[in-house]
Amino acid sequence: MRLFADLPATAAARDLRARIGWLCHGLRLAVGLWAAWTLALILWLWRSPDAVAATYGGWWKLDLSALPATHYVAGLGLVLADWALVAVLCVMLWRLFGLYLEGEVFTRAATTAMRQVGLVALAAIAFDFLARPAVSWLLTMHLPAGAQRINLFARPEDLLHLLFAGFVLALAHIFRAAADMAEDQAGIV
């Protein structure tokens, strides 16, 4: 693995490595652990149609014991698609911190990667928000009319996720302006 290979062995470069190296490695580790942890939780919850019926039925105070296998599989597919978008986001974060580890901090490549992280985060948030009512409908569509659910809801952390995604997009825009200014100044000197 190449860490800071393109940076000259100056005191400033060594200082940068010391200041952000541990942080980038820690965040990469956290991203990987989070993706694995959430997948493990999903697979545990969705381990069988009976487990899904008991859990969701308990939450919604409904008897889902007759959940058809096709509805279970469709629900699991939707939940895994939701997780897959987050996994893509995790890979993009891993890549972004990798760029930082290579010394690419205020560069076009880093700002482009950061902007992509923000956009994919927004897409993941939107997909998750829309997947919730779809999962509730899939798990209750076998029930008689009146018992079926389409649970469209927002949680407080949804707003927090939106704020973080917006913050990343704003930082990407600011960092891009800084990178452009640095290129302009380098061209003058």
Side-chain angles (χ1 to χ4, degrees):
M1 181 194 283
R2 223 175 50 137
L3 301 181
F4 299 100
D6 298 333
L7 290 180
T10 64
R14 284 191 301 273
D15 183 51
L16 178 64
R17 286 182 195 107
R19 289 170 51 197
I20 70 167
W22 67 272
L23 180 64
C24 290
H25 285 300
L27 289 170
R28 287 175 109 187
L29 177 65
V31 162
L33 288 174
W34 186 83
W37 184 15
T38 56
L39 180 60
L41 289 174
I42 289 167
L43 294 177
W44 181 80
L45 175 63
W46 287 80
R47 65 191 175 278
S48 70
D50 291 338
V52 168
T55 301
Y56 282 90
W59 290 339
W60 300 330
K61 310 272 190 269
L62 293 172
D63 179 12
L64 299 179
S65 59
L67 178 66
T70 54
H71 298 183
Y72 162 77
V73 170
L76 176 58
L78 192 55
V79 169
L80 289 175
D82 194 8
W83 178 85
L85 262 177
V86 175
V88 168
L89 180 61
C90 289
V91 168
M92 295 176 79
L93 283 165
W94 183 279
R95 181 176 166 259
L96 176 63
F97 293 120
L99 287 170
Y100 293 161
L101 285 168
E102 292 174 4
E104 299 267 340
V105 179
F106 294 104
T107 65
R108 288 185 183 272
T111 59
T112 298
M114 184 183 283
R115 181 175 183 273
Q116 291 169 345
V117 164
L119 291 173
V120 170
L122 288 175
I125 293 163
F127 188 86
D128 182 63
F129 185 74
L130 296 174
R132 294 173 199 164
V135 168
S136 65
W137 178 73
L138 284 168
L139 296 181
T140 62
M141 65 188 278
H142 68 283
L143 298 176
Q148 297 172 346
R149 298 277 173 102
I150 298 179
N151 294 333
L152 181 62
F153 62 93
R155 300 178 300 222
E157 60 267 21
D158 293 331
L159 179 56
L160 181 64
H161 296 158
L162 285 171
L163 289 170
F164 275 122
F167 179 71
V168 169
L169 284 172
L171 275 182
H173 183 71
I174 292 165
F175 284 9
R176 181 59 169 249
D180 290 345
M181 287 172 42
E183 283 182 13
D184 288 345
Q185 289 181 352
I188 294 171
V189 176

